[in-house]
Amino acid sequence: AVNYPCPVADFGIDSVTMPANGSYQGLTNSLEIWLVHEGAARVHLGSNYHFDVVGGQAFAVFAEQRFSISSAQKTNLYRAFVPAM
């Protein structure tokens, strides 16, 4: 992930680029808003729920939730979040 510096301490933006058949996983500290810039991915929330997203769509992941994202093709996403203090 590439982090973009922000002028305030309570807001962050990352860019996540995944290759074909790539994956990204995490545990949120705050509400996260994700924007799919290009490509397509499957988002897994917990062990029983998943959904597909494509370029131009956005989704949210609530605080303190484990998630993973998998891509079948090169995919670029942006993540807005509150950094851990």
Side-chain angles (χ1 to χ4, degrees):
V2 175
N3 183 265
Y4 293 96
C6 292
V8 294
D10 59 350
F11 184 77
I13 299 175
D14 283 349
S15 171
V16 176
T17 300
M18 298 186 302
N21 301 313
S23 65
Y24 181 92
Q25 58 187 5
L27 172 63
T28 59
N29 294 317
S30 66
L31 172 70
E32 295 185 357
I33 300 172
W34 289 77
L35 172 65
V36 183
H37 178 251
E38 67 175 323
R42 175 163 284 182
V43 180
H44 303 267
L45 301 175
S47 59
N48 297 323
Y49 184 70
H50 68 268
F51 55 91
D52 296 326
V53 290
V54 297
Q57 293 183 318
F59 62 94
V61 181
F62 292 111
E64 299 180 10
Q65 185 164 15
R66 291 200 178 280
F67 70 97
S68 65
I69 303 170
S70 56
S71 61
Q73 59 183 288
K74 180 182 175 189
T75 302
N76 179 253
L77 306 100
Y78 289 93
R79 172 178 79 120
F81 62 100
V82 176
M85 303 271 181

